[in-house]
mmCIF file of all heavy atoms in Angstrom:
data_model
loop_
_atom_site.group_PDB
_atom_site.id
_atom_site.type_symbol
_atom_site.label_atom_id
_atom_site.label_comp_id
_atom_site.label_asym_id
_atom_site.label_seq_id
_atom_site.Cartn_x
_atom_site.Cartn_y
_atom_site.Cartn_z
ATOM 1 N N ASP G 1 13.623 -23.628 3.140
ATOM 2 C CA ASP G 1 14.077 -22.284 3.501
ATOM 3 C C ASP G 1 13.271 -21.773 4.684
ATOM 4 O O ASP G 1 12.038 -21.821 4.665
ATOM 5 C CB ASP G 1 13.916 -21.325 2.321
ATOM 6 C CG ASP G 1 14.849 -21.713 1.177
ATOM 7 O OD1 ASP G 1 15.828 -22.421 1.460
ATOM 8 O OD2 ASP G 1 14.577 -21.300 0.042
ATOM 9 N N PRO G 2 13.935 -21.253 5.709
ATOM 10 C CA PRO G 2 13.194 -20.684 6.845
ATOM 11 C C PRO G 2 12.537 -19.361 6.457
ATOM 12 O O PRO G 2 12.987 -18.664 5.549
ATOM 13 C CB PRO G 2 14.279 -20.477 7.904
ATOM 14 C CG PRO G 2 15.531 -20.314 7.120
ATOM 15 C CD PRO G 2 15.391 -21.189 5.897
ATOM 16 N N ALA G 3 11.484 -19.024 7.165
ATOM 17 C CA ALA G 3 10.784 -17.770 6.895
ATOM 18 C C ALA G 3 11.630 -16.593 7.348
ATOM 19 O O ALA G 3 12.250 -16.627 8.409
ATOM 20 C CB ALA G 3 9.442 -17.756 7.621
ATOM 21 N N LYS G 4 11.653 -15.508 6.569
ATOM 22 C CA LYS G 4 12.408 -14.316 6.915
ATOM 23 C C LYS G 4 11.599 -13.450 7.870
ATOM 24 O O LYS G 4 10.377 -13.418 7.800
ATOM 25 C CB LYS G 4 12.744 -13.512 5.653
ATOM 26 C CG LYS G 4 13.673 -14.220 4.701
ATOM 27 C CD LYS G 4 13.969 -13.329 3.513
ATOM 28 C CE LYS G 4 14.928 -14.021 2.543
ATOM 29 N NZ LYS G 4 15.213 -13.150 1.390
ATOM 30 N N PRO G 5 12.276 -12.730 8.777
ATOM 31 C CA PRO G 5 11.546 -11.782 9.635
ATOM 32 C C PRO G 5 10.873 -10.698 8.792
ATOM 33 O O PRO G 5 11.314 -10.368 7.687
ATOM 34 C CB PRO G 5 12.647 -11.198 10.533
ATOM 35 C CG PRO G 5 13.758 -12.182 10.458
ATOM 36 C CD PRO G 5 13.685 -12.798 9.101
ATOM 37 N N ALA G 6 9.811 -10.124 9.343
ATOM 38 C CA ALA G 6 9.068 -9.103 8.597
ATOM 39 C C ALA G 6 9.918 -7.879 8.327
ATOM 40 O O ALA G 6 9.736 -7.191 7.327
ATOM 41 C CB ALA G 6 7.809 -8.715 9.387
ATOM 42 N N SER G 7 10.863 -7.578 9.241
ATOM 43 C CA SER G 7 11.712 -6.398 9.054
ATOM 44 C C SER G 7 12.685 -6.547 7.896
ATOM 45 O O SER G 7 13.194 -5.563 7.378
ATOM 46 C CB SER G 7 12.491 -6.104 10.334
ATOM 47 O OG SER G 7 13.297 -7.214 10.685
ATOM 48 N N GLU G 8 12.990 -7.801 7.488
ATOM 49 C CA GLU G 8 13.943 -8.030 6.409
ATOM 50 C C GLU G 8 13.269 -8.164 5.055
ATOM 51 O O GLU G 8 13.943 -8.273 4.043
ATOM 52 C CB GLU G 8 14.745 -9.299 6.696
ATOM 53 C CG GLU G 8 15.598 -9.220 7.962
ATOM 54 C CD GLU G 8 16.406 -10.483 8.166
ATOM 55 O OE1 GLU G 8 16.327 -11.363 7.272
ATOM 56 O OE2 GLU G 8 17.100 -10.591 9.186
ATOM 57 N N ILE G 9 11.952 -8.164 5.038
ATOM 58 C CA ILE G 9 11.232 -8.301 3.770
ATOM 59 C C ILE G 9 11.015 -6.908 3.199
ATOM 60 O O ILE G 9 10.382 -6.056 3.817
ATOM 61 C CB ILE G 9 9.883 -9.014 3.982
ATOM 62 C CG1 ILE G 9 10.115 -10.422 4.524
ATOM 63 C CG2 ILE G 9 9.115 -9.070 2.677
ATOM 64 C CD1 ILE G 9 8.841 -11.152 4.877
ATOM 65 N N LYS G 10 11.560 -6.631 2.048
ATOM 66 C CA LYS G 10 11.441 -5.338 1.388
ATOM 67 C C LYS G 10 10.267 -5.398 0.422
ATOM 68 O O LYS G 10 10.238 -6.219 -0.496
ATOM 69 C CB LYS G 10 12.725 -4.986 0.639
ATOM 70 C CG LYS G 10 13.928 -4.807 1.555
ATOM 71 C CD LYS G 10 15.160 -4.413 0.757
ATOM 72 C CE LYS G 10 16.364 -4.232 1.663
ATOM 73 N NZ LYS G 10 17.562 -3.847 0.891
ATOM 74 N N LYS G 11 9.326 -4.511 0.659
ATOM 75 C CA LYS G 11 8.149 -4.451 -0.197
ATOM 76 C C LYS G 11 8.244 -3.226 -1.085
ATOM 77 O O LYS G 11 8.391 -2.109 -0.608
ATOM 78 C CB LYS G 11 6.877 -4.385 0.653
ATOM 79 C CG LYS G 11 6.675 -5.616 1.529
ATOM 80 C CD LYS G 11 5.406 -5.491 2.348
ATOM 81 C CE LYS G 11 5.209 -6.716 3.224
ATOM 82 N NZ LYS G 11 3.968 -6.615 4.038
ATOM 83 N N THR G 12 8.159 -3.394 -2.351
ATOM 84 C CA THR G 12 8.244 -2.326 -3.324
ATOM 85 C C THR G 12 6.937 -2.252 -4.094
ATOM 86 O O THR G 12 6.500 -3.260 -4.674
ATOM 87 C CB THR G 12 9.406 -2.544 -4.311
ATOM 88 O OG1 THR G 12 10.617 -2.671 -3.566
ATOM 89 C CG2 THR G 12 9.511 -1.377 -5.279
ATOM 90 N N LEU G 13 6.320 -1.075 -4.056
ATOM 91 C CA LEU G 13 5.060 -0.875 -4.752
ATOM 92 C C LEU G 13 5.348 -0.275 -6.122
ATOM 93 O O LEU G 13 5.883 0.833 -6.214
ATOM 94 C CB LEU G 13 4.144 0.056 -3.955
ATOM 95 C CG LEU G 13 2.790 0.378 -4.582
ATOM 96 C CD1 LEU G 13 1.967 -0.901 -4.747
ATOM 97 C CD2 LEU G 13 2.037 1.387 -3.737
ATOM 98 N N VAL G 14 5.025 -0.984 -7.146
ATOM 99 C CA VAL G 14 5.242 -0.539 -8.518
ATOM 100 C C VAL G 14 3.878 -0.348 -9.160
ATOM 101 O O VAL G 14 3.113 -1.313 -9.321
ATOM 102 C CB VAL G 14 6.080 -1.561 -9.316
ATOM 103 C CG1 VAL G 14 6.272 -1.065 -10.744
ATOM 104 C CG2 VAL G 14 7.419 -1.787 -8.640
ATOM 105 N N LEU G 15 3.570 0.906 -9.488
ATOM 106 C CA LEU G 15 2.281 1.192 -10.096
ATOM 107 C C LEU G 15 2.347 0.980 -11.601
ATOM 108 O O LEU G 15 3.379 1.239 -12.227
ATOM 109 C CB LEU G 15 1.873 2.639 -9.811
ATOM 110 C CG LEU G 15 1.581 2.999 -8.358
ATOM 111 C CD1 LEU G 15 1.282 4.493 -8.240
ATOM 112 C CD2 LEU G 15 0.423 2.191 -7.815
ATOM 113 N N PRO G 16 1.266 0.536 -12.192
ATOM 114 C CA PRO G 16 1.215 0.481 -13.657
ATOM 115 C C PRO G 16 1.354 1.875 -14.255
ATOM 116 O O PRO G 16 1.075 2.875 -13.578
ATOM 117 C CB PRO G 16 -0.182 -0.117 -13.929
ATOM 118 C CG PRO G 16 -0.558 -0.806 -12.668
ATOM 119 C CD PRO G 16 0.075 -0.027 -11.555
ATOM 120 N N PRO G 17 1.796 1.988 -15.492
ATOM 121 C CA PRO G 17 2.000 3.327 -16.085
ATOM 122 C C PRO G 17 0.760 4.201 -16.046
ATOM 123 O O PRO G 17 0.854 5.404 -15.809
ATOM 124 C CB PRO G 17 2.429 2.997 -17.520
ATOM 125 C CG PRO G 17 3.022 1.626 -17.431
ATOM 126 C CD PRO G 17 2.245 0.904 -16.382
ATOM 127 N N SER G 18 -0.420 3.619 -16.287
ATOM 128 C CA SER G 18 -1.645 4.429 -16.287
ATOM 129 C C SER G 18 -1.928 4.995 -14.899
ATOM 130 O O SER G 18 -2.303 6.157 -14.740
ATOM 131 C CB SER G 18 -2.830 3.587 -16.754
ATOM 132 O OG SER G 18 -2.989 2.443 -15.911
ATOM 133 N N TYR G 19 -1.706 4.178 -13.854
ATOM 134 C CA TYR G 19 -1.906 4.649 -12.495
ATOM 135 C C TYR G 19 -0.869 5.705 -12.126
ATOM 136 O O TYR G 19 -1.171 6.689 -11.443
ATOM 137 C CB TYR G 19 -1.833 3.493 -11.512
ATOM 138 C CG TYR G 19 -2.995 2.531 -11.570
ATOM 139 C CD1 TYR G 19 -3.006 1.362 -10.826
ATOM 140 C CD2 TYR G 19 -4.097 2.795 -12.388
ATOM 141 C CE1 TYR G 19 -4.074 0.470 -10.888
ATOM 142 C CE2 TYR G 19 -5.164 1.922 -12.454
ATOM 143 C CZ TYR G 19 -5.152 0.756 -11.709
ATOM 144 O OH TYR G 19 -6.206 -0.095 -11.769
ATOM 145 N N ALA G 20 0.378 5.498 -12.554
ATOM 146 C CA ALA G 20 1.437 6.467 -12.254
ATOM 147 C C ALA G 20 1.128 7.831 -12.886
ATOM 148 O O ALA G 20 1.336 8.877 -12.261
ATOM 149 C CB ALA G 20 2.781 5.944 -12.742
ATOM 150 N N ASP G 21 0.634 7.839 -14.108
ATOM 151 C CA ASP G 21 0.271 9.107 -14.750
ATOM 152 C C ASP G 21 -0.863 9.796 -14.002
ATOM 153 O O ASP G 21 -0.877 11.029 -13.859
ATOM 154 C CB ASP G 21 -0.138 8.854 -16.201
ATOM 155 C CG ASP G 21 1.032 8.379 -17.049
ATOM 156 O OD1 ASP G 21 2.190 8.612 -16.641
ATOM 157 O OD2 ASP G 21 0.795 7.758 -18.107
ATOM 158 N N THR G 22 -1.814 9.013 -13.519
ATOM 159 C CA THR G 22 -2.922 9.595 -12.758
ATOM 160 C C THR G 22 -2.421 10.239 -11.468
ATOM 161 O O THR G 22 -2.841 11.340 -11.096
ATOM 162 C CB THR G 22 -3.966 8.519 -12.433
ATOM 163 O OG1 THR G 22 -4.431 7.925 -13.654
ATOM 164 C CG2 THR G 22 -5.144 9.119 -11.673
ATOM 165 N N VAL G 23 -1.511 9.565 -10.774
ATOM 166 C CA VAL G 23 -0.954 10.119 -9.533
ATOM 167 C C VAL G 23 -0.187 11.408 -9.819
ATOM 168 O O VAL G 23 -0.279 12.385 -9.068
ATOM 169 C CB VAL G 23 -0.053 9.080 -8.847
ATOM 170 C CG1 VAL G 23 0.700 9.693 -7.686
ATOM 171 C CG2 VAL G 23 -0.880 7.890 -8.365
ATOM 172 N N ARG G 24 0.575 11.424 -10.907
ATOM 173 C CA ARG G 24 1.322 12.644 -11.251
ATOM 174 C C ARG G 24 0.375 13.802 -11.536
ATOM 175 O O ARG G 24 0.626 14.944 -11.126
ATOM 176 C CB ARG G 24 2.209 12.381 -12.462
ATOM 177 C CG ARG G 24 3.361 11.420 -12.203
ATOM 178 C CD ARG G 24 4.330 11.411 -13.357
ATOM 179 N NE ARG G 24 5.300 10.341 -13.240
ATOM 180 C CZ ARG G 24 5.202 9.161 -13.842
ATOM 181 N NH1 ARG G 24 4.158 8.911 -14.634
ATOM 182 N NH2 ARG G 24 6.114 8.233 -13.670
ATOM 183 N N ARG G 25 -0.715 13.532 -12.246
ATOM 184 C CA ARG G 25 -1.667 14.601 -12.545
ATOM 185 C C ARG G 25 -2.311 15.131 -11.267
ATOM 186 O O ARG G 25 -2.509 16.340 -11.109
ATOM 187 C CB ARG G 25 -2.745 14.094 -13.502
ATOM 188 C CG ARG G 25 -2.251 13.913 -14.940
ATOM 189 C CD ARG G 25 -3.427 13.798 -15.888
ATOM 190 N NE ARG G 25 -4.250 12.645 -15.584
ATOM 191 C CZ ARG G 25 -4.073 11.437 -16.119
ATOM 192 N NH1 ARG G 25 -3.077 11.247 -16.989
ATOM 193 N NH2 ARG G 25 -4.863 10.441 -15.808
ATOM 194 N N LEU G 26 -2.638 14.236 -10.345
ATOM 195 C CA LEU G 26 -3.233 14.676 -9.082
ATOM 196 C C LEU G 26 -2.257 15.514 -8.264
ATOM 197 O O LEU G 26 -2.634 16.524 -7.659
ATOM 198 C CB LEU G 26 -3.698 13.460 -8.276
ATOM 199 C CG LEU G 26 -4.900 12.699 -8.837
ATOM 200 C CD1 LEU G 26 -5.160 11.445 -8.015
ATOM 201 C CD2 LEU G 26 -6.132 13.583 -8.852
ATOM 202 N N LEU G 27 -0.974 15.099 -8.247
ATOM 203 C CA LEU G 27 0.022 15.869 -7.506
ATOM 204 C C LEU G 27 0.219 17.250 -8.118
ATOM 205 O O LEU G 27 0.333 18.243 -7.403
ATOM 206 C CB LEU G 27 1.346 15.102 -7.465
ATOM 207 C CG LEU G 27 1.378 13.862 -6.574
ATOM 208 C CD1 LEU G 27 2.715 13.161 -6.690
ATOM 209 C CD2 LEU G 27 1.102 14.229 -5.123
ATOM 210 N N ARG G 28 0.274 17.315 -9.458
ATOM 211 C CA ARG G 28 0.434 18.620 -10.103
ATOM 212 C C ARG G 28 -0.757 19.528 -9.822
ATOM 213 O O ARG G 28 -0.630 20.751 -9.785
ATOM 214 C CB ARG G 28 0.612 18.432 -11.613
ATOM 215 C CG ARG G 28 2.001 17.987 -12.030
ATOM 216 C CD ARG G 28 2.218 18.202 -13.511
ATOM 217 N NE ARG G 28 1.302 17.407 -14.306
ATOM 218 C CZ ARG G 28 1.580 16.203 -14.787
ATOM 219 N NH1 ARG G 28 2.756 15.658 -14.536
ATOM 220 N NH2 ARG G 28 0.704 15.546 -15.513
ATOM 221 N N ARG G 29 -1.910 18.923 -9.605
ATOM 222 C CA ARG G 29 -3.113 19.728 -9.392
ATOM 223 C C ARG G 29 -3.233 20.228 -7.953
ATOM 224 O O ARG G 29 -3.603 21.378 -7.726
ATOM 225 C CB ARG G 29 -4.350 18.909 -9.749
ATOM 226 C CG ARG G 29 -5.670 19.659 -9.550
ATOM 227 C CD ARG G 29 -6.847 18.810 -9.973
ATOM 228 N NE ARG G 29 -8.102 19.511 -9.761
ATOM 229 C CZ ARG G 29 -9.300 18.985 -10.023
ATOM 230 N NH1 ARG G 29 -9.380 17.745 -10.506
ATOM 231 N NH2 ARG G 29 -10.396 19.665 -9.801
ATOM 232 N N PHE G 30 -2.919 19.362 -6.983
ATOM 233 C CA PHE G 30 -3.164 19.702 -5.589
ATOM 234 C C PHE G 30 -1.912 20.139 -4.838
ATOM 235 O O PHE G 30 -2.032 20.753 -3.776
ATOM 236 C CB PHE G 30 -3.789 18.505 -4.856
ATOM 237 C CG PHE G 30 -5.161 18.160 -5.355
ATOM 238 C CD1 PHE G 30 -5.373 17.041 -6.146
ATOM 239 C CD2 PHE G 30 -6.240 18.977 -5.045
ATOM 240 C CE1 PHE G 30 -6.631 16.728 -6.608
ATOM 241 C CE2 PHE G 30 -7.511 18.675 -5.502
ATOM 242 C CZ PHE G 30 -7.716 17.547 -6.284
ATOM 243 N N LEU G 31 -0.716 19.846 -5.331
ATOM 244 C CA LEU G 31 0.501 20.198 -4.606
ATOM 245 C C LEU G 31 0.674 21.705 -4.427
ATOM 246 O O LEU G 31 1.080 22.144 -3.351
ATOM 247 C CB LEU G 31 1.718 19.597 -5.311
ATOM 248 C CG LEU G 31 3.038 19.652 -4.535
ATOM 249 C CD1 LEU G 31 2.902 18.916 -3.212
ATOM 250 C CD2 LEU G 31 4.171 19.046 -5.355
ATOM 251 N N PRO G 32 0.384 22.556 -5.428
ATOM 252 C CA PRO G 32 0.529 24.001 -5.213
ATOM 253 C C PRO G 32 -0.320 24.528 -4.069
ATOM 254 O O PRO G 32 0.058 25.494 -3.399
ATOM 255 C CB PRO G 32 0.096 24.595 -6.562
ATOM 256 C CG PRO G 32 0.362 23.518 -7.550
ATOM 257 C CD PRO G 32 0.064 22.239 -6.832
ATOM 258 N N GLN G 33 -1.462 23.918 -3.812
ATOM 259 C CA GLN G 33 -2.304 24.385 -2.714
ATOM 260 C C GLN G 33 -1.625 24.176 -1.370
ATOM 261 O O GLN G 33 -1.754 25.005 -0.458
ATOM 262 C CB GLN G 33 -3.637 23.646 -2.744
ATOM 263 C CG GLN G 33 -4.416 23.826 -4.041
ATOM 264 C CD GLN G 33 -5.731 23.096 -4.023
ATOM 265 O OE1 GLN G 33 -6.334 22.889 -2.980
ATOM 266 N NE2 GLN G 33 -6.210 22.695 -5.186
#
């Protein structure tokens, strides 16, 4: 298989549930500011 161009490679970042909860708490804390 030939290598795909970098523009055609879709990168999806999936955080673990514990990390996702931490990000949500930080957003709820700092977003109102």
Side-chain angles (χ1 to χ4, degrees):
D1 294 339
K4 295 182 179 180
S7 59
E8 297 182 4
I9 298 175
K10 296 182 180 180
K11 298 180 180 180
T12 303
L13 179 62
V14 179
L15 294 176
S18 58
Y19 290 174
D21 293 340
T22 303
V23 171
R24 292 191 190 97
R25 286 196 298 269
L26 291 174
L27 288 177
R28 282 196 297 266
R29 180 178 179 181
F30 294 106
L31 191 59
Q33 301 181 28

